[in-house]
Amino acid sequence: MAMCLCPSSVYLDMVSGNFTDDEKTDLALGGWPGHYLSIMRSLPLLKITVSDTVRLYGYENPKFKSSVEGLKAPDQVSLTYATTAGLTSPPGGYEVNPVADAFAFENYAVLTMPGILTVQKAPLKVTVLDTTRMFGLPNPIFKSVVVGVKNNDGVYVGYSTQAGLTSPVGQYPVSALVDYPVDRYVLETFDGILTVSVFVGIEAEVNEELDIYPNPSRGDISLKMLINGDALQYTVHDSSGRTTASGTLSEQLNVIALEVPDGLYYLKFSNGEVRKLMIKR
C-alpha cells in the first residue's frame, strides 16, 4: 500500500510483514525526502496469571506462584510479587500482583492478571488446667494454657464453675470465659476439672504413734496422743468433708467412740497428718 501526502514533494510508503522473525506482523514505514526507513515492531504477548492462595492470620505470606503463557524458548522471566497483606493484616482477601523483570517488558507485550491471597482466621486454643482444693475452702486461682496468640493480641481468660464453699466432695468442670478478637481467631476451649476432696496431699502414714486400731473398726478406735511431747487435737470427717467428731488426745491411750454410719472416714490431727479409717459393723 502506498500513500501520498501533499504537497507532492513528500512521499510515505507503508508495508506490512514479518521483518523481525518473531511470528508477529510488523509495519515498515519509508519516505522521501530523507530516504528513511522505520520498522514498527510488534511484540509477542506474554500473559502472567497469579494463582490464588490461602494462609492463616498472623503467619508469613506463602510463596506465590504464577502461570506464564507466551514465553519463547530459551527466554526466561524473573517474577516478584506485590501485596498489601502482612503479618498483622486481618482476615480478608488481598490482591497479589506479579512484577516482571525488565527483559520481559523489553521483549514482550506483558499482560498481568492478579491473584487473591485469602487470609483466614487463626486457631486459638484455651485449655483450663485441672486443680484440687479441700472441702470448705475457697476455690483456688484457676490457670489455663493459651495456644495460638499472634501479634501480641490481647486474649484474656476468666473462669466459671458451679463449685462453691459448701459444694460436697466431688469433681466439677471449670470452663474458660475468653475475651479475644473474634474477627481474627477461631476459638476452641477445653474444660478443666476441680476436684473437691476431704483433704489434699494426705501424708504417708509414717508416724507409728498415730496408728489407729482396729482399722477397719466397728466404731471404737484406740490411739496414742504425744508427738514430740505435744498434745494433739483431732477432727473426724466423712467422705463429703463434714466434721463428725473432734477432741484433744490425752497423755494416756485414747479410745474414741464414733457413732457414725458405716463408711470411709478421715482423722485429721493438728500437726497436719491424716489417717484413713473404715467403719464397718
Side-chain angles (χ1 to χ4, degrees):
M1 178 181 66
M3 178 181 295
C4 178
L5 300 179
C6 295
S8 60
S9 59
V10 178
Y11 295 93
L12 290 177
D13 287 323
M14 290 185 292
V15 178
S16 61
N18 183 9
F19 303 111
T20 56
D21 195 26
D22 59 2
E23 301 180 3
K24 293 289 183 178
T25 301
D26 305 316
L27 183 65
L29 178 65
W32 184 90
H35 304 288
Y36 64 86
L37 175 66
S38 177
I39 297 178
M40 301 176 67
R41 181 184 180 191
S42 297
L43 296 177
L45 177 65
L46 184 69
K47 183 178 180 182
I48 304 172
T49 304
V50 180
S51 302
D52 295 339
T53 188
V54 177
R55 73 161 172 86
L56 297 175
Y57 163 75
Y59 287 79
E60 297 282 352
N61 287 337
K63 292 183 178 180
F64 299 117
K65 297 180 180 180
S66 297
S67 62
V68 179
E69 301 176 47
L71 188 65
K72 307 297 181 181
D75 290 350
Q76 293 184 351
V77 175
S78 177
L79 297 176
T80 58
Y81 299 90
T83 181
T84 60
L87 282 174
T88 60
S89 299
Y94 297 85
E95 193 171 273
V96 181
N97 288 283
V99 180
D101 57 16
F103 174 84
F105 286 96
E106 292 172 356
N107 296 277
Y108 293 90
V110 180
L111 174 64
T112 60
M113 304 294 291
I116 297 297
L117 167 63
T118 301
V119 177
Q120 297 179 339
K121 293 182 179 181
L124 180 66
K125 185 170 76 171
V126 179
T127 303
V128 180
L129 300 179
D130 296 341
T131 188
T132 304
R133 72 162 172 84
M134 290 176 58
F135 169 81
L137 295 182
N139 288 335
I141 296 175
F142 298 116
K143 298 180 180 181
S144 58
V145 176
V146 180
V147 178
V149 177
K150 301 296 181 182
N151 301 315
N152 294 317
D153 289 339
V155 175
Y156 306 95
V157 183
Y159 303 93
S160 174
T161 182
Q162 294 182 348
L165 281 173
T166 59
S167 298
V169 169
Q171 292 187 323
Y172 299 85
V174 182
S175 300
L177 305 175
V178 187
D179 181 11
Y180 68 103
V182 296
D183 61 327
R184 302 177 187 179
Y185 297 94
V186 176
L187 177 64
E188 187 177 15
T189 61
F190 299 88
D191 290 352
I193 297 296
L194 168 63
T195 300
V196 178
S197 63
V198 179
F199 298 106
V200 176
I202 296 178
E203 299 181 13
E205 299 182 8
V206 296
N207 195 323
E208 294 182 357
E209 292 185 332
L210 284 180
D211 281 348
I212 302 168
Y213 59 93
N215 190 9
S217 169
R218 294 180 180 274
D220 294 339
I221 58 174
S222 301
L223 63 154
K224 298 179 181 180
M225 62 77 56
L226 295 178
I227 299 295
N228 297 326
D230 296 329
L232 294 178
Q233 286 75 45
Y234 70 90
T235 53
V236 181
H237 304 264
D238 63 17
S239 59
S240 68
R242 291 186 293 269
T243 301
T244 60
S246 62
T248 301
L249 300 180
S250 68
E251 295 184 1
Q252 308 300 322
L253 181 67
N254 294 266
V255 177
I256 303 173
L258 298 176
E259 297 181 359
V260 293
D262 291 0
L264 178 64
Y265 293 83
Y266 298 86
L267 270 72
K268 182 181 180 182
F269 300 95
S270 55
N271 70 342
E273 293 195 46
V274 175
R275 297 292 182 270
K276 293 180 181 180
L277 169 65
M278 179 63 69
I279 301 296
K280 187 176 181 181
R281 294 179 175 83

